[in-house]
Amino acid sequence: MSTDTAQRILDRAQDLMIERGYNAFSYADIAEVVKVSKATIHFHYASKAVLSEQVVRRYREGVMSNLRQLSRQVADAPARLEAYAGYWENCIRTNTAPLCMCALLAAEMLTLPDPVKSEVQAFFRDLEAWLAGTLDDGVRQGALRLPRDSALEAKSLLAVVYGAMLTAHVSRDAAAFAAVVGDAIGRLKAAAPTPSVKKARKRPR
Amino acid sequence: MSTDTAQRILDRAQDLMIERGYNAFSYADIAEVVKVSKATIHFHYASKAVLSEQVVRRYREGVMSNLRQLSRQVADAPARLEAYAGYWENCIRTNTAPLCMCALLAAEMLTLPDPVKSEVQAFFRDLEAWLAGTLDDGVRQGALRLPRDSALEAKSLLAVVYGAMLTAHVSRDAAAFAAVVGDAIGRLKAAAPTPSVKKARKRPR
DNA sequence: GCCAATTAACCTACTAGTTGGTAGAGTGCG
DNA sequence: CGCACTCTACCAACTAGTAGGTTAATTGGC
């Protein structure tokens, strides 16, 4: 079935882009693994730019969908941030994905085709907004205390997570990632802490 | 003169690697600008791996030399950190170098030749050590107060700087870099601040 | 229900251009 | 001379992308 082939091409392209970014993968790489000819890839995706754009768009939508789900499932804002950080710590530790695809693409920004560039920008815009929203939730819950406004704190947290991801990637040190990001989140917790496991009263909104 | 050609090749290779990283520049790109043939580049640098390794090594040595000089010239640790951050803020704002070359190479890590990989690792090792040293200086001077040990704080600061660099690069927003990094440094300043210019007593070790 | 036309999906074989790298022939200088 | 350096001319392998043809399923007219 065709849908299947198109999906499998997209899947493998994503794998390759997570591993190598934009400049270091080729149609031939995909063709080899998916067991189709390069022409088939061109049939489904007119150009490398189009294929890459769709990969990043789907990646972004997937991430944002997961984050929205996380927001629904974990009301407590600090716990939600820790779950987010924990996800990446796990990816790094198990080498599932040692780096967020968009961190890699961000570095390659100047060499990306415009549509891909836009998707990467959208990714960080959305992620930063989610972080800011979660920080606001935490303030409303009385579980977080922000030294600065949530917009700046979200930018800072985003920077810490992606910077820690990058440096941990270089030294292959998942523990360093966990320590740095854990510390950054811990700093935002309200001074009077919920003593570990005592669940904050669950309350809609 | 040959030295001159070799130098010019190295210079231009560095420019290209700062702009595009490892995977998106070619011998032809260099040859065109330096006005020599590709064969000449191969005469001076046997392979792309060797050339890149030397570029990164020189870059690293240059950066570390500048940082040591900064340590000598600016005794006050917070001011030293701010000078370091200010350097990058300027690079980003004026688009001199919108991203540290090693940030880009860190993202490309999995596709780098081994010798280049090692150089990138050495870069971050050295930079982190310099930051830790500066933080220690600040504590000794009474100008900084670290919530955690200097090794972890250095890792955190490194992550903030490189993460902010990456995200600012995506959104082309030097102000965001300055705000995030400035905040991170500000947080480390001792609660009772030296009122701006009062120099801490200079004391060897 | 049957046959012709169309279409989606895929192929092989190719293009033009680029990649890193090499061979070997100058060139100019001490 | 011999040596350091640079060149032209080439290579095989790879790049994204194209041309043109082959299936097999789907559609529409009768």
Side-chain angles (χ1 to χ4, degrees):
Chain A
M1 194 197 289
S2 90
T3 312
D4 187 56
T5 301
Q7 278 298 314
R8 274 160 52 225
I9 291 169
L10 214 58
D11 291 344
R12 185 52 189 163
Q14 175 168 318
D15 293 346
L16 284 165
M17 287 182 74
I18 286 174
E19 191 189 324
R20 312 185 195 170
Y22 178 83
N23 291 305
F25 85 92
S26 76
Y27 270 43
D29 296 328
I30 300 172
E32 191 189 343
V33 179
V34 183
K35 307 284 186 202
V36 292
S37 67
K38 286 188 302 165
T40 299
I41 305 177
H42 276 286
F43 172 78
H44 290 285
Y45 305 96
S47 71
K48 193 181 179 183
V50 167
L51 171 61
S52 305
E53 182 196 358
Q54 295 205 27
V55 167
V56 183
R57 169 170 300 133
R58 196 185 60 161
Y59 182 86
R60 172 170 66 88
E61 287 170 353
V63 167
M64 291 315 298
S65 160
N66 285 340
L67 290 180
R68 278 190 293 270
Q69 195 186 345
L70 183 61
S71 293
R72 263 179 270 116
Q73 288 177 346
V74 182
D76 182 54
R80 200 188 299 164
L81 291 176
E82 272 153 8
Y84 170 68
Y87 166 78
W88 275 115
E89 197 225 321
N90 188 60
C91 285
I92 296 168
R93 189 160 28 76
T94 64
N95 222 29
T96 315
L99 207 59
C100 168
M101 191 180 79
C102 286
L104 222 169
L105 296 178
E108 291 184 304
M109 208 64 178
L110 296 181
T111 58
L112 297 181
D114 283 337
V116 181
K117 237 184 258 191
S118 303
E119 277 302 322
V120 174
Q121 285 167 340
F123 176 88
F124 283 102
R125 198 208 323 114
D126 291 357
L127 178 53
E128 191 183 311
W130 181 84
L131 285 171
T134 297
L135 292 177
D136 286 336
D137 286 351
V139 171
R140 249 180 265 123
Q141 293 164 355
L144 295 180
R145 193 178 42 83
L146 309 182
R148 317 267 170 169
D149 64 300
S150 67
L152 177 56
E153 292 296 344
K155 275 188 212 301
S156 290
L157 202 47
L158 184 66
V160 167
V161 171
Y162 276 74
M165 205 180 272
L166 202 67
T167 51
H169 188 226
V170 170
S171 51
R172 300 182 90 344
D173 183 358
F177 174 84
V180 167
V181 175
D183 186 42
I185 294 174
R187 206 164 35 223
L188 298 176
K189 285 183 185 167
T194 313
S196 77
V197 205
K198 187 199 164 192
K199 265 190 202 143
R201 187 95 59 82
K202 204 159 105 196
R203 233 194 197 257
R205 150 172 309 257
Chain B
M1 193 198 290
S2 91
T3 314
D4 187 55
T5 300
Q7 277 299 313
R8 275 162 49 226
I9 291 169
L10 214 58
D11 290 344
R12 185 52 188 164
Q14 176 167 316
D15 293 346
L16 284 165
M17 287 180 75
I18 286 174
E19 192 190 322
R20 311 184 196 170
Y22 178 82
N23 290 304
F25 87 94
S26 76
Y27 270 44
D29 295 329
I30 300 172
E32 191 189 343
V33 179
V34 183
K35 308 282 184 203
V36 292
S37 67
K38 286 189 300 166
T40 299
I41 305 176
H42 276 286
F43 173 78
H44 291 285
Y45 306 95
S47 71
K48 192 182 179 184
V50 168
L51 171 61
S52 305
E53 182 195 358
Q54 294 206 27
V55 167
V56 183
R57 170 171 299 132
R58 196 186 59 161
Y59 182 86
R60 171 169 67 87
E61 287 170 355
V63 167
M64 290 316 298
S65 160
N66 285 340
L67 290 179
R68 279 189 293 269
Q69 195 187 346
L70 183 61
S71 293
R72 266 179 269 116
Q73 288 177 345
V74 181
D76 182 54
R80 201 189 298 163
L81 292 175
E82 272 153 9
Y84 170 68
Y87 166 79
W88 275 115
E89 197 224 321
N90 188 61
C91 285
I92 295 168
R93 192 162 24 77
T94 64
N95 223 30
T96 315
L99 207 58
C100 168
M101 192 181 78
C102 286
L104 221 170
L105 295 178
E108 290 184 305
M109 208 65 180
L110 296 181
T111 59
L112 296 181
D114 283 338
V116 181
K117 237 183 258 192
S118 304
E119 277 301 323
V120 174
Q121 286 167 339
F123 176 88
F124 283 102
R125 199 207 324 112
D126 291 357
L127 179 53
E128 190 181 312
W130 181 84
L131 284 171
T134 296
L135 291 177
D136 286 336
D137 286 352
V139 171
R140 251 179 264 122
Q141 293 164 356
L144 295 179
R145 193 177 43 84
L146 308 182
R148 318 268 172 168
D149 64 299
S150 67
L152 177 56
E153 292 295 343
K155 276 187 210 302
S156 290
L157 202 48
L158 184 66
V160 167
V161 171
Y162 276 73
M165 205 180 273
L166 202 66
T167 52
H169 188 226
V170 171
S171 52
R172 302 183 87 350
D173 184 357
F177 174 85
V180 167
V181 176
D183 186 42
I185 294 173
R187 205 163 37 221
L188 298 176
K189 285 184 185 168
T194 315
S196 77
V197 206
K198 188 198 166 193
K199 264 188 206 148
R201 187 94 59 81
K202 202 157 105 197
R203 229 189 200 262
R205 160 157 305 255

